[in-house]
Amino acid sequence: GNLGKNFTAKMTKTASVEFTDDATAYKLGLIGAIAGTNWDTDLPFTYVSESNGTYKYEIASQAIEADAQFKVRTAGTWDKINLGFSNVKITGDPENFADQGGNILCKSAATYKITLSFTPEEWEWVLDFQKL
Protein backbone atom coordinates (compact mmCIF):
# COMPACT_ATOMS: atom_id res chain seq x y z
CA GLY A 1 0.00 0.00 0.00
CA ASN A 2 0.82 3.63 -0.21
CA LEU A 3 2.06 5.17 3.00
CA GLY A 4 1.16 8.60 1.74
CA LYS A 5 4.57 9.98 2.63
CA ASN A 6 7.84 10.13 0.81
CA PHE A 7 10.90 9.22 2.79
CA THR A 8 14.26 10.36 1.53
CA ALA A 9 17.78 10.18 2.87
CA LYS A 10 20.65 12.40 1.89
CA MET A 11 24.28 11.44 2.43
CA THR A 12 27.10 13.91 2.05
CA LYS A 13 30.59 12.58 1.48
CA THR A 14 32.95 14.62 3.62
CA ALA A 15 36.21 12.71 3.22
CA SER A 16 37.90 9.67 1.77
CA VAL A 17 40.25 7.56 3.83
CA GLU A 18 42.30 4.86 2.22
CA PHE A 19 43.41 2.55 5.01
CA THR A 20 45.96 -0.16 4.42
CA ASP A 21 46.45 -3.30 6.43
CA ASP A 22 49.76 -1.84 7.61
CA ALA A 23 48.55 0.74 10.11
CA THR A 24 52.14 1.32 11.23
CA ALA A 25 52.70 3.02 7.87
CA TYR A 26 50.41 5.88 8.83
CA LYS A 27 52.25 8.87 10.23
CA LEU A 28 49.52 10.87 11.94
CA GLY A 29 49.81 14.03 13.96
CA LEU A 30 48.17 17.12 15.35
CA ILE A 31 48.57 20.34 13.38
CA GLY A 32 47.47 23.81 14.34
CA ALA A 33 48.12 26.78 16.61
CA ILE A 34 49.19 24.43 19.39
CA ALA A 35 52.33 23.99 21.53
CA GLY A 36 53.86 27.21 20.20
CA THR A 37 53.41 26.29 16.55
CA ASN A 38 51.27 28.10 13.99
CA TRP A 39 49.93 25.44 11.60
CA ASP A 40 53.52 24.74 10.50
CA THR A 41 54.60 21.78 12.67
CA ASP A 42 53.02 18.36 13.05
CA LEU A 43 53.01 16.95 16.59
CA PRO A 44 53.37 13.24 15.82
CA PHE A 45 51.35 10.35 17.15
CA THR A 46 53.15 7.06 17.82
CA TYR A 47 51.52 3.87 16.53
CA VAL A 48 50.63 1.75 19.57
CA SER A 49 48.69 -1.36 18.57
CA GLU A 50 45.84 -3.05 16.74
CA SER A 51 43.25 -4.93 18.74
CA ASN A 52 39.92 -6.33 17.54
CA GLY A 53 40.15 -4.25 14.36
CA THR A 54 40.84 -0.97 16.15
CA TYR A 55 44.13 0.84 15.52
CA LYS A 56 45.57 3.05 18.27
CA TYR A 57 48.01 5.95 18.10
CA GLU A 58 49.24 7.98 21.05
CA ILE A 59 50.90 11.18 22.18
CA ALA A 60 52.13 10.36 25.69
CA SER A 61 52.07 13.94 26.99
CA GLN A 62 51.02 17.15 25.26
CA ALA A 63 50.33 20.56 26.79
CA ILE A 64 47.54 22.40 24.97
CA GLU A 65 47.06 26.11 25.54
CA ALA A 66 43.69 27.76 26.13
CA ASP A 67 42.06 28.78 22.83
CA ALA A 68 44.47 26.62 20.79
CA GLN A 69 42.95 25.25 17.57
CA PHE A 70 44.08 22.11 15.80
CA LYS A 71 43.19 19.15 13.58
CA VAL A 72 44.42 15.59 13.07
CA ARG A 73 46.12 14.92 9.74
CA THR A 74 48.61 12.75 7.93
CA ALA A 75 51.91 14.27 9.06
CA GLY A 76 53.21 16.70 6.47
CA THR A 77 50.18 16.67 4.17
CA TRP A 78 46.46 17.41 4.02
CA ASP A 79 46.01 14.95 1.13
CA LYS A 80 45.09 11.78 3.03
CA ILE A 81 43.70 12.18 6.54
CA ASN A 82 42.27 15.56 7.58
CA LEU A 83 40.04 15.38 10.65
CA GLY A 84 38.35 18.32 12.32
CA PHE A 85 35.83 18.57 15.13
CA SER A 86 32.94 16.96 13.26
CA ASN A 87 35.09 14.04 12.04
CA VAL A 88 36.08 12.69 15.46
CA LYS A 89 34.35 11.57 18.62
CA ILE A 90 36.02 13.32 21.54
CA THR A 91 36.20 11.35 24.80
CA GLY A 92 37.97 11.69 28.13
CA ASP A 93 37.46 15.44 28.59
CA PRO A 94 34.93 16.38 25.87
CA GLU A 95 33.62 19.46 27.69
CA ASN A 96 37.01 21.17 27.23
CA PHE A 97 36.77 21.03 23.43
CA ALA A 98 34.52 22.79 20.93
CA ASP A 99 33.98 23.29 17.20
CA GLN A 100 35.78 26.39 15.93
CA GLY A 101 35.01 26.69 12.23
CA GLY A 102 35.71 22.98 11.78
CA ASN A 103 38.87 23.03 13.87
CA ILE A 104 39.08 21.49 17.34
CA LEU A 105 39.28 24.26 19.96
CA CYS A 106 40.74 23.64 23.42
CA LYS A 107 38.86 25.90 25.86
CA SER A 108 41.14 25.70 28.94
CA ALA A 109 44.85 24.93 29.10
CA ALA A 110 45.66 21.37 30.12
CA THR A 111 48.22 18.61 29.60
CA TYR A 112 46.89 15.38 28.15
CA LYS A 113 47.77 11.88 27.14
CA ILE A 114 46.08 11.83 23.72
CA THR A 115 44.96 8.57 22.12
CA LEU A 116 43.64 8.42 18.56
CA SER A 117 41.71 5.25 17.71
CA PHE A 118 40.35 4.22 14.33
CA THR A 119 37.99 1.35 13.61
CA PRO A 120 37.79 0.88 9.81
CA GLU A 121 34.66 -1.30 9.92
CA GLU A 122 32.73 1.47 11.69
CA TRP A 123 34.61 4.37 10.06
CA GLU A 124 34.89 5.92 13.49
CA TRP A 125 37.77 8.05 14.73
CA VAL A 126 37.96 8.57 18.52
CA LEU A 127 40.21 11.24 20.03
CA ASP A 128 40.62 10.59 23.76
CA PHE A 129 42.08 13.22 26.10
CA GLN A 130 43.20 12.01 29.53
CA LYS A 131 44.42 14.80 31.83
CA LEU A 132 47.89 14.25 33.28
Side-chain angles (χ1 to χ4, degrees):
N2 188 343
L3 295 175
K5 294 181 180 179
N6 290 326
F7 293 93
T8 60
K10 179 181 178 187
M11 294 182 73
T12 304
K13 182 177 179 181
T14 59
S16 293
V17 178
E18 295 175 16
F19 214 77
T20 70
D21 287 338
D22 183 11
T24 61
Y26 280 81
K27 304 303 179 198
L28 302 173
L30 298 180
I31 184 78
I34 181 176
T37 68
N38 189 25
W39 296 91
D40 57 5
T41 303
D42 290 279
L43 304 173
F45 281 95
T46 300
Y47 174 76
V48 178
S49 65
E50 182 274 333
S51 176
N52 297 322
T54 297
Y55 300 88
K56 290 189 178 182
Y57 303 84
E58 180 180 285
I59 295 176
S61 177
Q62 181 62 57
I64 305 176
E65 305 87 347
D67 300 321
Q69 295 181 42
F70 57 94
K71 285 183 150 183
V72 175
R73 75 171 186 172
T74 306
T77 181
W78 294 101
D79 293 346
K80 293 184 179 169
I81 295 171
N82 174 1
L83 306 172
F85 187 84
S86 64
N87 308 111
V88 297
K89 176 182 177 183
I90 295 178
T91 60
D93 191 18
E95 57 279 350
N96 197 32
F97 297 92
D99 188 348
Q100 183 68 44
N103 296 333
I104 301 165
L105 171 76
C106 182
K107 297 177 187 176
S108 300
T111 299
Y112 293 103
K113 173 183 175 183
I114 306 170
T115 304
L116 176 67
S117 304
F118 176 62
T119 307
E121 300 231 342
E122 298 171 20
W123 290 100
E124 181 177 61
W125 293 90
V126 176
L127 200 52
D128 184 66
F129 294 90
Q130 294 297 320
K131 280 189 179 179
L132 296 175

Coordinates of all heavy atoms in Angstrom, one line a residue, residues 49-130:
S49 N 49.1 0.0 18.7 CA 48.7 -1.4 18.6 C 47.4 -1.5 17.7 O 46.8 -0.5 17.4 CB 48.4 -2.0 19.9 OG 47.3 -1.3 20.5
E50 N 47.1 -2.7 17.4 CA 45.8 -3.0 16.7 C 45.2 -4.1 17.6 O 45.9 -5.1 18.0 CB 46.1 -3.6 15.3 CG 44.8 -3.9 14.6 CD 44.3 -5.3 14.8 OE1 45.1 -6.2 15.2 OE2 43.0 -5.5 14.8
S51 N 43.9 -3.9 17.9 CA 43.2 -4.9 18.7 C 41.8 -5.0 18.3 O 41.1 -3.9 18.3 CB 43.3 -4.5 20.2 OG 42.6 -5.5 21.0
N52 N 41.3 -6.1 18.0 CA 39.9 -6.3 17.5 C 39.5 -5.4 16.4 O 38.4 -4.8 16.4 CB 39.0 -6.2 18.7 CG 39.2 -7.2 19.8 OD1 39.5 -8.4 19.5 ND2 39.1 -6.8 21.0
G53 N 40.5 -5.1 15.5 CA 40.1 -4.3 14.4 C 40.2 -2.8 14.6 O 39.9 -2.0 13.8
T54 N 40.7 -2.4 15.8 CA 40.8 -1.0 16.1 C 42.3 -0.6 16.3 O 43.1 -1.3 16.9 CB 40.1 -0.6 17.5 OG1 38.7 -0.9 17.3 CG2 40.4 0.8 17.9
Y55 N 42.7 0.4 15.5 CA 44.1 0.8 15.5 C 44.3 2.0 16.5 O 43.4 2.9 16.5 CB 44.5 1.3 14.1 CG 44.4 0.1 13.1 CD1 43.2 -0.1 12.4 CD2 45.5 -0.7 12.9 CE1 43.1 -1.1 11.6 CE2 45.3 -1.8 12.0 CZ 44.1 -2.0 11.3 OH 44.0 -3.0 10.4
K56 N 45.4 2.0 17.3 CA 45.6 3.1 18.3 C 46.9 3.8 18.1 O 47.9 3.1 17.8 CB 45.5 2.5 19.7 CG 44.1 2.0 20.1 CD 44.1 1.7 21.6 CE 42.6 1.3 21.9 NZ 42.4 1.0 23.3
Y57 N 46.8 5.1 18.2 CA 48.0 5.9 18.1 C 48.0 6.8 19.3 O 46.9 7.1 19.9 CB 47.9 6.8 16.8 CG 47.8 6.0 15.6 CD1 46.5 5.6 15.1 CD2 48.9 5.7 14.8 CE1 46.4 4.8 14.0 CE2 48.8 4.9 13.6 CZ 47.5 4.5 13.2 OH 47.4 3.8 12.1
E58 N 49.2 7.3 19.8 CA 49.2 8.0 21.0 C 50.3 9.1 21.0 O 51.3 9.0 20.4 CB 49.6 7.0 22.1 CG 49.7 7.4 23.5 CD 50.1 6.3 24.4 OE1 49.2 5.5 24.7 OE2 51.3 6.2 24.9
I59 N 49.9 10.2 21.8 CA 50.9 11.2 22.2 C 50.9 11.1 23.7 O 49.9 11.4 24.4 CB 50.5 12.6 21.7 CG1 50.5 12.7 20.2 CG2 51.4 13.6 22.3 CD1 50.0 14.0 19.6
A60 N 52.1 10.7 24.3 CA 52.1 10.4 25.7 C 51.8 11.6 26.6 O 51.2 11.4 27.6 CB 53.5 9.8 26.0
S61 N 52.3 12.7 26.2 CA 52.1 13.9 27.0 C 52.1 15.2 26.1 O 53.1 15.4 25.4 CB 53.1 14.1 28.1 OG 53.0 15.3 28.8
Q62 N 51.1 15.9 26.1 CA 51.0 17.2 25.3 C 50.3 18.3 26.0 O 49.1 18.1 26.4 CB 50.3 16.9 23.9 CG 50.3 18.1 23.0 CD 51.7 18.5 22.6 OE1 52.4 17.8 22.1 NE2 52.0 19.8 22.9
A63 N 51.0 19.4 26.2 CA 50.3 20.6 26.8 C 49.6 21.3 25.7 O 50.1 21.5 24.6 CB 51.4 21.5 27.4
I64 N 48.3 21.7 25.9 CA 47.5 22.4 25.0 C 47.1 23.7 25.6 O 46.5 23.7 26.7 CB 46.3 21.6 24.5 CG1 46.7 20.2 23.9 CG2 45.5 22.4 23.4 CD1 45.6 19.3 23.5
E65 N 47.4 24.8 25.0 CA 47.1 26.1 25.5 C 45.6 26.4 25.4 O 44.9 25.9 24.5 CB 47.8 27.2 24.8 CG 49.3 27.1 24.8 CD 49.8 26.2 23.6 OE1 49.1 25.5 22.9 OE2 51.1 26.2 23.4
A66 N 45.1 27.3 26.3 CA 43.7 27.8 26.1 C 43.5 28.4 24.8 O 44.4 29.2 24.3 CB 43.4 28.7 27.3
D67 N 42.4 28.2 24.1 CA 42.1 28.8 22.8 C 42.9 28.3 21.7 O 42.8 28.8 20.6 CB 42.1 30.3 22.9 CG 41.1 30.9 23.9 OD1 40.0 30.4 24.0 OD2 41.5 31.9 24.6
A68 N 43.7 27.2 21.9 CA 44.5 26.6 20.8 C 43.5 25.9 19.9 O 42.6 25.2 20.3 CB 45.5 25.7 21.3
Q69 N 43.7 26.0 18.6 CA 42.9 25.2 17.6 C 43.8 24.3 16.8 O 45.0 24.6 16.5 CB 42.3 26.2 16.6 CG 41.3 27.2 17.2 CD 40.8 28.1 16.1 OE1 40.5 27.7 15.0 NE2 40.6 29.4 16.4
F70 N 43.3 23.1 16.5 CA 44.1 22.1 15.8 C 43.2 21.1 15.1 O 42.0 21.1 15.2 CB 45.0 21.4 16.8 CG 44.3 20.7 17.9 CD1 43.9 19.4 17.9 CD2 44.0 21.4 19.1 CE1 43.3 18.8 18.9 CE2 43.3 20.8 20.2 CZ 43.0 19.5 20.1
K71 N 43.8 20.3 14.3 CA 43.2 19.1 13.6 C 44.1 18.0 13.6 O 45.3 18.1 14.0 CB 42.9 19.5 12.1 CG 41.8 20.5 11.9 CD 41.6 20.7 10.4 CE 40.1 21.0 10.1 NZ 39.9 21.1 8.7
V72 N 43.6 16.8 13.2 CA 44.4 15.6 13.1 C 44.6 15.4 11.6 O 43.7 15.6 10.8 CB 43.7 14.3 13.6 CG1 44.5 13.1 13.3 CG2 43.4 14.5 15.1
R73 N 45.9 15.1 11.2 CA 46.1 14.9 9.7 C 47.3 13.9 9.5 O 48.0 13.6 10.5 CB 46.4 16.2 9.0 CG 47.8 16.8 9.3 CD 48.1 17.9 8.4 NE 49.5 18.4 8.6 CZ 50.1 19.3 7.8 NH1 49.4 19.8 6.8 NH2 51.4 19.6 8.0
T74 N 47.4 13.5 8.3 CA 48.6 12.8 7.9 C 49.8 13.7 8.0 O 49.8 14.8 7.5 CB 48.5 12.2 6.5 OG1 47.3 11.5 6.3 CG2 49.7 11.4 6.1
A75 N 50.8 13.4 8.8 CA 51.9 14.3 9.1 C 52.5 14.8 7.7 O 52.8 14.0 6.9 CB 53.0 13.6 9.9
G76 N 52.6 16.1 7.6 CA 53.2 16.7 6.5 C 52.3 16.9 5.3 O 52.7 17.6 4.3
T77 N 51.1 16.5 5.3 CA 50.2 16.7 4.2 C 48.7 16.7 4.6 O 48.3 16.0 5.5 CB 50.4 15.6 3.1 OG1 49.6 15.8 2.0 CG2 50.1 14.2 3.6
W78 N 47.9 17.4 3.8 CA 46.5 17.4 4.0 C 45.8 16.4 3.1 O 44.6 16.3 3.1 CB 45.9 18.8 3.7 CG 46.4 19.8 4.7 CD1 47.3 20.8 4.5 CD2 45.9 20.0 6.0 NE1 47.5 21.5 5.6 CE2 46.6 21.1 6.6 CE3 44.9 19.4 6.8 CZ2 46.4 21.6 7.9 CZ3 44.7 19.9 8.1 CH2 45.4 21.0 8.6
D79 N 46.6 15.7 2.2 CA 46.0 14.9 1.1 C 45.3 13.7 1.5 O 44.5 13.2 0.8 CB 47.1 14.6 0.1 CG 47.6 15.8 -0.6 OD1 46.9 16.9 -0.5 OD2 48.6 15.7 -1.3
K80 N 45.7 13.1 2.7 CA 45.1 11.8 3.0 C 44.1 11.9 4.2 O 42.9 11.8 4.0 CB 46.2 10.8 3.4 CG 47.0 10.5 2.1 CD 48.1 9.4 2.4 CE 48.8 9.2 1.1 NZ 50.0 8.4 1.2
I81 N 44.6 12.1 5.4 CA 43.7 12.2 6.5 C 43.7 13.6 7.0 O 44.7 14.2 7.3 CB 44.2 11.2 7.6 CG1 44.0 9.8 7.1 CG2 43.4 11.4 8.9 CD1 44.6 8.7 8.0
N82 N 42.5 14.2 7.2 CA 42.3 15.6 7.6 C 41.0 15.6 8.4 O 39.9 15.5 7.9 CB 42.1 16.4 6.3 CG 41.8 17.9 6.7 OD1 41.6 18.3 7.9 ND2 41.6 18.7 5.7
L83 N 41.2 15.5 9.8 CA 40.0 15.4 10.7 C 39.9 16.6 11.6 O 40.8 16.9 12.3 CB 40.2 14.1 11.5 CG 40.5 12.8 10.8 CD1 40.9 11.7 11.8 CD2 39.3 12.4 10.0
G84 N 38.7 17.2 11.4 CA 38.3 18.3 12.3 C 37.3 17.9 13.4 O 37.1 16.7 13.6
F85 N 36.7 18.8 14.0 CA 35.8 18.6 15.1 C 34.7 17.6 14.8 O 34.4 16.7 15.5 CB 35.2 19.9 15.7 CG 34.5 19.7 16.9 CD1 35.1 19.7 18.2 CD2 33.1 19.6 16.9 CE1 34.3 19.5 19.3 CE2 32.3 19.4 18.0 CZ 33.0 19.4 19.3
S86 N 34.1 17.8 13.6 CA 32.9 17.0 13.3 C 33.3 15.6 12.8 O 32.5 14.7 12.6 CB 32.1 17.7 12.2 OG 32.8 17.8 11.0
N87 N 34.6 15.3 12.6 CA 35.1 14.0 12.0 C 35.5 13.1 13.1 O 35.9 11.9 12.8 CB 36.3 14.2 11.1 CG 36.0 15.2 10.0 OD1 36.6 16.3 10.0 ND2 35.0 14.9 9.1
V88 N 35.6 13.5 14.4 CA 36.1 12.7 15.5 C 35.1 12.7 16.6 O 34.3 13.6 16.8 CB 37.5 13.1 16.0 CG1 38.5 13.0 14.9 CG2 37.4 14.5 16.6
K89 N 35.1 11.6 17.4 CA 34.3 11.6 18.6 C 35.3 11.9 19.7 O 36.3 11.1 19.9 CB 33.7 10.2 18.8 CG 33.0 10.0 20.1 CD 32.5 8.6 20.2 CE 31.8 8.3 21.6 NZ 31.4 6.9 21.7
I90 N 35.1 12.9 20.5 CA 36.0 13.3 21.5 C 35.6 12.7 22.9 O 34.4 12.8 23.2 CB 36.1 14.9 21.7 CG1 36.8 15.4 20.4 CG2 37.0 15.2 22.9 CD1 36.9 16.9 20.3
T91 N 36.5 12.0 23.5 CA 36.2 11.4 24.8 C 37.2 11.8 25.8 O 38.2 12.5 25.5 CB 36.2 9.8 24.7 OG1 37.5 9.4 24.2 CG2 35.1 9.3 23.7
G92 N 37.0 11.4 27.1 CA 38.0 11.7 28.1 C 37.7 13.0 28.8 O 37.4 13.0 30.0
D93 N 37.7 14.1 28.1 CA 37.5 15.4 28.6 C 36.7 16.3 27.5 O 37.1 17.4 27.2 CB 38.8 16.1 29.0 CG 38.6 17.4 29.8 OD1 37.5 17.6 30.3 OD2 39.6 18.2 29.8
P94 N 35.6 15.7 27.0 CA 34.9 16.4 25.9 C 34.5 17.8 26.1 O 34.4 18.6 25.2 CB 33.8 15.5 25.6 CG 33.5 14.7 26.8 CD 34.9 14.6 27.5
E95 N 34.1 18.1 27.4 CA 33.6 19.5 27.7 C 34.7 20.6 27.5 O 34.3 21.7 27.5 CB 33.0 19.5 29.1 CG 33.9 19.1 30.2 CD 34.1 17.6 30.4 OE1 33.3 16.8 29.8 OE2 35.0 17.2 31.2
N96 N 36.0 20.2 27.4 CA 37.0 21.2 27.2 C 37.3 21.5 25.8 O 38.2 22.2 25.4 CB 38.3 20.7 27.9 CG 39.3 21.9 28.1 OD1 38.9 23.0 28.3 ND2 40.5 21.6 28.1
F97 N 36.5 20.8 24.9 CA 36.8 21.0 23.4 C 35.5 21.5 22.7 O 34.4 21.1 23.1 CB 37.3 19.7 22.8 CG 38.7 19.4 23.4 CD1 38.7 18.5 24.5 CD2 39.8 19.9 22.9 CE1 39.9 18.2 25.1 CE2 41.1 19.6 23.5 CZ 41.1 18.7 24.6
A98 N 35.7 22.3 21.7 CA 34.5 22.8 20.9 C 34.9 22.9 19.5 O 36.0 22.9 19.1 CB 34.1 24.2 21.5
D99 N 33.8 23.1 18.6 CA 34.0 23.3 17.2 C 34.3 24.8 16.9 O 33.5 25.6 17.3 CB 32.7 22.9 16.5 CG 32.8 22.9 15.0 OD1 33.8 23.4 14.4 OD2 31.9 22.4 14.3
Q100 N 35.4 25.0 16.3 CA 35.8 26.4 15.9 C 36.0 26.4 14.4 O 37.1 26.2 13.9 CB 37.0 26.8 16.7 CG 37.5 28.3 16.4 CD 36.5 29.2 17.0 OE1 36.0 29.1 18.1 NE2 36.1 30.3 16.3
G101 N 34.9 26.6 13.7 CA 35.0 26.7 12.2 C 35.5 25.4 11.6 O 36.2 25.4 10.6
G102 N 35.2 24.3 12.3 CA 35.7 23.0 11.8 C 36.9 22.5 12.5 O 37.2 21.3 12.5
N103 N 37.7 23.4 13.1 CA 38.9 23.0 13.9 C 38.4 22.6 15.3 O 37.3 22.8 15.7 CB 39.8 24.2 14.0 CG 40.4 24.7 12.7 OD1 40.5 23.9 11.8 ND2 40.7 25.9 12.6
I104 N 39.3 21.9 16.0 CA 39.1 21.5 17.3 C 39.7 22.6 18.2 O 40.9 22.9 18.1 CB 39.7 20.1 17.6 CG1 39.2 19.0 16.7 CG2 39.5 19.8 19.1 CD1 40.0 17.8 16.7
L105 N 38.8 23.2 19.1 CA 39.3 24.3 20.0 C 39.4 23.7 21.4 O 38.5 23.1 21.9 CB 38.3 25.4 19.9 CG 38.5 26.5 21.0 CD1 39.6 27.4 20.6 CD2 37.2 27.3 21.2
C106 N 40.5 24.0 22.0 CA 40.7 23.6 23.4 C 40.4 24.9 24.2 O 40.9 25.9 24.1 CB 42.2 23.2 23.7 SG 42.5 22.7 25.4
K107 N 39.4 24.8 25.1 CA 38.9 25.9 25.9 C 39.8 26.3 27.0 O 40.1 27.5 27.1 CB 37.5 25.6 26.5 CG 36.4 25.3 25.4 CD 35.1 24.9 26.2 CE 34.0 24.5 25.2 NZ 32.8 24.0 26.0
S108 N 40.3 25.4 27.8 CA 41.1 25.7 28.9 C 42.4 24.9 28.8 O 42.4 23.8 28.4 CB 40.5 25.3 30.3 OG 39.3 26.0 30.4
A109 N 43.5 25.6 29.2 CA 44.8 24.9 29.1 C 44.9 23.7 30.0 O 44.4 23.6 31.1 CB 45.9 25.9 29.6
A110 N 45.5 22.6 29.4 CA 45.7 21.4 30.1 C 46.7 20.5 29.4 O 47.1 20.8 28.3 CB 44.3 20.6 30.2
T111 N 47.3 19.6 30.2 CA 48.2 18.6 29.6 C 47.5 17.3 29.5 O 46.9 16.8 30.5 CB 49.5 18.5 30.4 OG1 50.1 19.8 30.4 CG2 50.5 17.5 29.8
Y112 N 47.6 16.6 28.4 CA 46.9 15.4 28.2 C 47.8 14.3 27.6 O 48.7 14.5 26.9 CB 45.8 15.6 27.1 CG 44.7 16.5 27.5 CD1 44.6 17.8 27.0 CD2 43.6 16.0 28.3 CE1 43.6 18.6 27.4 CE2 42.6 16.9 28.6 CZ 42.6 18.2 28.2 OH 41.5 19.0 28.5
K113 N 47.4 13.0 27.9 CA 47.8 11.9 27.1 C 46.7 11.8 26.1 O 45.5 11.7 26.4 CB 47.8 10.6 28.0 CG 48.1 9.3 27.1 CD 48.0 8.1 28.0 CE 48.2 6.9 27.2 NZ 48.0 5.6 28.0
I114 N 47.1 11.8 24.8 CA 46.1 11.8 23.7 C 46.2 10.5 23.0 O 47.2 10.1 22.5 CB 46.3 13.0 22.8 CG1 46.4 14.3 23.5 CG2 45.3 13.0 21.7 CD1 46.9 15.5 22.7
T115 N 45.0 9.8 22.9 CA 45.0 8.6 22.1 C 44.0 8.7 21.0 O 42.9 9.2 21.1 CB 44.5 7.4 23.0 OG1 45.4 7.3 24.1 CG2 44.5 6.1 22.3
L116 N 44.5 8.4 19.8 CA 43.6 8.4 18.6 C 43.4 7.0 18.2 O 44.3 6.2 18.0 CB 44.4 9.1 17.4 CG 43.7 9.1 16.1 CD1 42.4 10.0 16.1 CD2 44.6 9.7 15.0
S117 N 42.1 6.6 18.1 CA 41.7 5.3 17.7 C 40.9 5.3 16.4 O 40.1 6.2 16.2 CB 40.9 4.6 18.8 OG 41.5 4.6 20.0
F118 N 41.1 4.3 15.6 CA 40.4 4.2 14.3 C 39.9 2.8 14.1 O 40.7 1.9 14.2 CB 41.2 4.6 13.1 CG 40.5 4.5 11.8 CD1 39.4 5.2 11.5 CD2 41.0 3.6 10.9 CE1 38.7 5.0 10.3 CE2 40.4 3.4 9.7 CZ 39.2 4.1 9.4
T119 N 38.6 2.6 13.9 CA 38.0 1.4 13.6 C 37.5 1.4 12.2 O 36.4 2.0 11.9 CB 36.8 1.0 14.6 OG1 37.4 1.2 15.9 CG2 36.3 -0.4 14.4
P120 N 38.2 0.8 11.2 CA 37.8 0.9 9.8 C 36.4 0.4 9.5 O 35.6 0.9 8.8 CB 38.8 0.0 9.1 CG 40.0 0.0 10.0 CD 39.5 0.1 11.4
E121 N 36.0 -0.7 10.2 CA 34.7 -1.3 9.9 C 33.5 -0.3 10.3 O 32.5 -0.3 9.7 CB 34.5 -2.6 10.7 CG 35.5 -3.6 10.3 CD 34.9 -5.0 10.0 OE1 33.8 -5.2 10.3 OE2 35.6 -5.7 9.3
E122 N 33.8 0.5 11.3 CA 32.7 1.5 11.7 C 33.0 2.9 11.2 O 32.2 3.8 11.4 CB 32.7 1.5 13.2 CG 32.3 0.2 13.8 CD 32.4 0.1 15.3 OE1 32.4 1.2 16.0 OE2 32.5 -1.0 15.9
W123 N 34.2 3.1 10.5 CA 34.6 4.4 10.1 C 34.5 5.4 11.2 O 34.0 6.5 11.0 CB 33.8 4.8 8.8 CG 34.2 4.0 7.7 CD1 33.6 2.9 7.2 CD2 35.4 4.0 6.9 NE1 34.3 2.3 6.1 CE2 35.4 3.0 5.9 CE3 36.5 4.9 6.9 CZ2 36.5 2.8 5.0 CZ3 37.6 4.7 6.0 CH2 37.5 3.7 5.1
E124 N 35.0 5.0 12.4 CA 34.9 5.9 13.5 C 36.3 6.3 14.0 O 37.1 5.4 14.3 CB 34.1 5.3 14.6 CG 33.9 6.3 15.8 CD 33.1 5.7 16.9 OE1 33.4 4.6 17.5 OE2 32.0 6.4 17.2
W125 N 36.5 7.5 14.1 CA 37.8 8.1 14.7 C 37.4 8.6 16.1 O 36.5 9.4 16.3 CB 38.3 9.2 13.9 CG 38.8 8.8 12.6 CD1 38.1 8.8 11.4 CD2 40.1 8.4 12.2 NE1 38.9 8.4 10.4 CE2 40.2 8.2 10.8 CE3 41.3 8.3 12.9 CZ2 41.3 7.8 10.1 CZ3 42.5 7.9 12.3 CH2 42.5 7.6 10.9
V126 N 38.2 8.1 17.1 CA 38.0 8.6 18.5 C 39.2 9.3 19.0 O 40.3 8.7 18.9 CB 37.6 7.4 19.5 CG1 37.5 7.9 20.9 CG2 36.3 6.7 19.0
L127 N 39.1 10.5 19.5 CA 40.2 11.2 20.0 C 40.0 11.4 21.5 O 39.0 12.0 22.0 CB 40.2 12.6 19.3 CG 41.5 13.4 19.4 CD1 42.7 12.6 18.9 CD2 41.3 14.7 18.5
D128 N 40.8 10.7 22.3 CA 40.6 10.6 23.8 C 41.7 11.4 24.5 O 42.9 11.3 24.2 CB 40.7 9.1 24.2 CG 40.5 9.0 25.7 OD1 39.3 9.3 26.1 OD2 41.4 8.7 26.5
F129 N 41.2 12.3 25.3 CA 42.1 13.2 26.1 C 42.0 12.9 27.6 O 41.0 13.0 28.2 CB 41.6 14.7 25.9 CG 41.8 15.2 24.5 CD1 40.8 15.1 23.6 CD2 43.0 15.8 24.1 CE1 40.9 15.5 22.3 CE2 43.1 16.3 22.8 CZ 42.1 16.1 21.9
Q130 N 43.1 12.3 28.1 CA 43.2 12.0 29.5 C 44.1 13.0 30.2 O 45.3 13.1 29.9 CB 43.7 10.6 29.7 CG 42.8 9.5 29.2 CD 41.5 9.5 30.0 OE1 41.4 9.7 31.2 NE2 40.4 9.3 29.2

